[in-house]
Amino acid sequence: MEKKEKNTFSRCADCKNCALCTAMIPLFSALPEDVRQGLTERSVLTTRAKGSFLFRVGETVDSVLIVRKGRIKLCKYDAEGNEYILDILHDGDAIWENLFLESAVFPYSAVCLTKVELCEIRKSDFIRIIAEQPSIALNLISLLSMRLRDANEKALLLSIQDPKVRLAGFLLDRDIRCVGPEIRLKLEDIAASIGLRPETVSRNLSKFEKEHLITRLGQGKIMVTDRNGLKKVYNAGQKI
């Protein structure tokens, strides 16, 4: 059963660290402090409950969403109800790519894996800043290129037949992107991210642990203890 959303709202201008959100993401970090300050003064801080939908497929894109704190999964569901996780966002990540499409709607849903704090910047304010600050347009091109590269790498990962190699690649990527020393994901979320069955993921995690490449800490926490070892597994699979 879907959890009832319990959301709170406040103005970002009331936050003690009002410039933090725009300073912590690449999209805005290069902007002058007064411009970032102006953005936060027009923004809204929201808190979303764990398990709630941030938005659903087909809903209108009307703001830039910056993750201040928490984890969000971007996902789709097929006709049978099977979930496919496209990405998992952490502190400092932002959702903005679809903002420039005409009659833009979200092509995926977003579900809060934890309690999430967001800063929402309205589309009109975002577009105005781009018009007034040409440098941010260059940042957009660079960031979109990086997203395209990441998408290509994800496609390559999903094309790998060996589940052990596919899982090794996923863990290497998440270890870089995650906040904190460990990867915090449930078995089912890992499986849905790389198109494997949960039991297949569990079996290969056990192999990695026996090989001292990772340590499972319980409660959906995984610590990568030997990145070089995982890289050898992944690179060896790429050569086959």
Side-chain angles (χ1 to χ4, degrees):
M1 180 180 293
E2 181 183 327
K3 295 183 180 180
K4 182 179 180 181
E5 298 185 14
K6 296 181 179 179
N7 306 326
T8 60
F9 305 86
S10 63
R11 299 298 301 180
C12 284
D14 298 328
C15 178
K16 294 180 180 179
N17 297 309
C18 60
L20 176 62
C21 293
T22 49
M24 69 192 298
I25 64 169
L27 184 60
F28 296 123
S29 60
L31 292 175
E33 184 176 352
D34 62 325
V35 176
R36 289 191 277 108
Q37 181 75 26
L39 275 175
T40 54
E41 288 174 352
R42 295 176 176 82
S43 305
V44 175
L45 172 63
T46 68
T47 301
R48 305 298 180 101
K50 177 182 178 180
S52 64
F53 277 79
L54 181 57
F55 53 78
R56 299 174 187 270
V57 171
E59 291 186 4
T60 302
V61 181
D62 57 8
S63 61
V64 178
L65 303 175
I66 302 172
V67 184
R68 283 198 54 183
K69 187 176 182 181
R71 287 178 288 124
I72 298 169
K73 65 179 176 181
L74 306 181
C75 54
K76 285 187 173 183
Y77 301 90
D78 64 19
E80 286 73 40
N82 297 312
E83 182 183 57
Y84 298 90
I85 296 179
L86 307 176
D87 202 359
I88 296 172
L89 307 182
H90 298 266
D91 305 17
D93 285 331
I95 304 172
W96 55 271
E97 295 88 343
N98 299 294
L99 205 64
F100 305 103
L101 300 177
E102 186 175 354
S103 302
V105 296
F106 288 108
Y108 43 70
S109 297
V111 181
C112 299
L113 295 174
T114 64
K115 177 182 176 181
V116 173
E117 293 181 6
L118 291 166
C119 275
E120 299 187 26
I121 300 174
R122 292 177 300 177
K123 179 178 180 178
S124 58
D125 290 328
F126 185 63
I127 298 297
R128 178 181 56 78
I129 288 296
I130 293 175
E132 296 176 353
Q133 300 286 331
S135 61
I136 198 174
L138 296 177
N139 279 353
L140 283 174
I141 295 172
S142 176
L143 291 170
L144 285 171
S145 297
M146 291 172 62
R147 293 295 175 91
L148 179 60
R149 180 202 63 193
D150 291 344
N152 289 336
E153 290 180 354
K154 178 71 177 290
L156 174 62
L157 183 65
L158 293 178
S159 71
I160 296 172
Q161 296 299 313
D162 189 328
K164 185 177 181 180
V165 176
R166 191 185 300 183
L167 180 59
F170 177 78
L171 293 176
L172 286 168
D173 177 67
R174 296 317 307 181
D175 186 48
I176 293 173
R177 295 183 58 190
C178 68
V179 176
E182 70 273 338
I183 300 168
R184 298 190 179 190
L185 285 176
K186 293 181 179 179
L187 196 66
E188 295 79 9
D189 290 332
I190 296 175
S193 296
I194 53 177
L196 296 175
R197 295 180 180 275
E199 54 268 28
T200 302
V201 173
S202 179
R203 183 169 59 252
N204 282 285
L205 286 176
S206 295
K207 290 180 181 178
F208 288 155
E209 193 162 32
K210 289 179 181 178
E211 294 167 3
H212 306 291
L213 303 178
I214 67 167
T215 298
R216 286 191 283 187
L217 307 175
Q219 298 181 335
K221 297 179 182 179
I222 300 171
M223 175 81 75
V224 173
T225 54
D226 185 354
R227 280 192 58 84
N228 288 332
L230 275 180
K231 284 182 179 179
K232 288 180 181 178
V233 172
Y234 183 67
N235 291 334
Q238 295 288 88
K239 297 177 183 178
I240 295 177

